[in-house]
């Protein structure tokens, strides 16, 4: 773990130098203290019903209600910077977040299953929800819950909605404000309401 922390500090110092920001010893000590606090916050918020990988970090004050199970991969970051992140996992439901994924100010509501792959970025004000919570027709028929799968290297920008039963393919990008109601092919950019393929991505 110490090697990992040292490597992260060197990367941060290099980044600060490139941006022309202060990067002296005092600044790096401050970043170290902040990093330790983020590690401790993760232990505090996810002490129950959770499996935590290495270096899970929490910044800000997320709202967490976990009656099911949450599984974190290594080096996951959960930020509440622009907006407070909210995670609700119902009883017998499971949320899985893969290694090196970054969530900032998103709302995740899990009634059955939401699987988020590795290296996934989810931006502020986005909502991922696998449950309608009530029938959409007068007869009260239809399936209310369906699992969501977000594959590796997906970028969900800001103010997006990912609805039940959706699979977002590897390397896809969801444009700001999109409402995703059906599967997204791998390596495509989708946008609009409802979301449609805009173009293929290299």
């Amino acid at each position: 773990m110490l090697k990992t922390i040292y490597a992260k500090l060197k990367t941060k110092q290099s980044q600060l130098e490139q941006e022309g920001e202060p990067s002296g010893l005092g600044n790096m000590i401050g970043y170290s203290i902040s990093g330790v606090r983020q590690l401790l916050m993760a232990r505090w918020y996810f002490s129950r019903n959770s499996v935590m990988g290495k270096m899970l970090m929490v910044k800000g004050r997320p709202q967490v209600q976990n009656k099911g199970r949450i599984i974190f991969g290594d080096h996951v970051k959960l930020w509440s910077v622009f907006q407070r992140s909210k995670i609700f996992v119902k009883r017998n439901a499971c949320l899985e977040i893969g290694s090196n994924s970054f969530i900032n100010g998103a709302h995740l509501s899990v009634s059955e299953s939401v699987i988020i792959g590795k290296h996934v970025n989810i931006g502020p004000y986005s909502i991922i929800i696998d449950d309608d919570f009530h029938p959409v027709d007068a007869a009260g028929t239809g399936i209310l819950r369906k699992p969501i799968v977000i594959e590796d290297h997906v970028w969900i920008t800001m103010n997006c909605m990912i609805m039940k039963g959706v699979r977002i393919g590897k390397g896809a990008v969801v444009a700001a404000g999109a409402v995703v109601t059906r599967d997204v092919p791998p390596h495509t950019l989708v946008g609009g309401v409802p979301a449609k393929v805009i173009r293929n991505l290299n």
Side-chain angles (χ1 to χ4, degrees), residues 41-55:
M41 292 288 282
R43 300 288 169 182
W44 171 261
Y45 280 104
F46 298 102
S47 60
R48 298 180 59 190
N49 304 329
S50 299
V51 176
M52 290 181 278
K54 299 176 184 176
M55 301 294 290

Side-chain angles (χ1 to χ4, degrees), residues 178-197:
V179 178
V180 181
T181 59
R182 60 185 64 183
D183 291 354
V184 174
H187 305 291
T188 58
L189 169 66
V190 300
V193 182
K196 297 179 181 178
V197 175

Side-chain angles (χ1 to χ4, degrees), residues 30-103:
Y31 281 110
S32 299
I33 293 170
S34 177
V36 170
R37 183 175 184 274
Q38 291 164 15
L39 290 170
L40 293 175
M41 292 288 282
R43 300 288 169 182
W44 171 261
Y45 280 104
F46 298 102
S47 60
R48 298 180 59 190
N49 304 329
S50 299
V51 176
M52 290 181 278
K54 299 176 184 176
M55 301 294 290
L56 171 64
M57 304 180 83
V58 170
K59 185 174 184 179
R61 299 179 62 188
Q63 183 176 353
V64 179
Q65 294 180 12
N66 179 19
K67 296 180 180 179
R69 186 171 177 82
I70 303 176
I71 302 171
F72 292 99
D74 297 338
H75 304 283
V76 173
K77 294 180 180 178
L78 180 67
W79 268 207
S80 295
V81 177
F82 298 99
Q83 165 75 8
R84 192 178 189 188
S85 286
K86 300 174 183 178
I87 296 181
F88 305 108
V89 182
K90 285 193 169 185
R91 198 175 306 279
N92 300 321
C94 183
L95 168 64
E96 184 173 343
I97 302 174
S99 299
N100 297 295
S101 289
F102 177 53
I103 298 170

Side-chain angles (χ1 to χ4, degrees), residues 2-202:
L2 289 176
K3 287 183 178 179
T4 302
I5 293 172
Y6 179 76
K8 285 182 175 290
L9 285 173
K10 292 297 289 184
T11 301
K12 185 64 177 180
Q13 187 175 36
S14 177
Q15 178 186 349
L16 291 171
E17 289 172 354
Q18 291 176 359
E19 295 173 354
E21 297 290 337
S23 59
L25 179 60
N27 300 95
M28 300 321 296
I29 290 173
Y31 281 110
S32 299
I33 293 170
S34 177
V36 170
R37 183 175 184 274
Q38 291 164 15
L39 290 170
L40 293 175
M41 292 288 282
R43 300 288 169 182
W44 171 261
Y45 280 104
F46 298 102
S47 60
R48 298 180 59 190
N49 304 329
S50 299
V51 176
M52 290 181 278
K54 299 176 184 176
M55 301 294 290
L56 171 64
M57 304 180 83
V58 170
K59 185 174 184 179
R61 299 179 62 188
Q63 183 176 353
V64 179
Q65 294 180 12
N66 179 19
K67 296 180 180 179
R69 186 171 177 82
I70 303 176
I71 302 171
F72 292 99
D74 297 338
H75 304 283
V76 173
K77 294 180 180 178
L78 180 67
W79 268 207
S80 295
V81 177
F82 298 99
Q83 165 75 8
R84 192 178 189 188
S85 286
K86 300 174 183 178
I87 296 181
F88 305 108
V89 182
K90 285 193 169 185
R91 198 175 306 279
N92 300 321
C94 183
L95 168 64
E96 184 173 343
I97 302 174
S99 299
N100 297 295
S101 289
F102 177 53
I103 298 170
N104 187 2
H107 177 159
L108 281 62
S109 178
V110 186
S111 296
E112 185 171 320
S113 172
V114 172
I115 298 175
I116 297 171
K118 300 176 182 177
H119 300 277
V120 173
N121 291 326
I122 303 175
Y125 309 104
S126 293
I127 298 174
I128 298 172
I129 185 168
D130 69 348
D131 195 339
D132 290 334
F133 289 104
H134 57 79
V136 295
D137 61 347
T141 59
I143 299 172
L144 298 181
R145 302 175 180 177
K146 273 190 175 181
I148 292 172
V149 177
I150 299 170
E151 297 182 4
D152 299 344
H153 298 280
V154 168
W155 180 19
I156 297 171
T157 59
M158 64 183 301
N159 202 31
C160 301
M161 293 188 69
I162 313 300
M163 309 305 288
K164 70 175 187 184
V166 163
R167 175 181 286 269
I168 300 179
K170 182 177 180 180
V173 176
V174 181
V179 178
V180 181
T181 59
R182 60 185 64 183
D183 291 354
V184 174
H187 305 291
T188 58
L189 169 66
V190 300
V193 182
K196 297 179 181 178
V197 175
I198 297 173
R199 65 184 176 92
N200 293 321
L201 301 172
N202 294 327

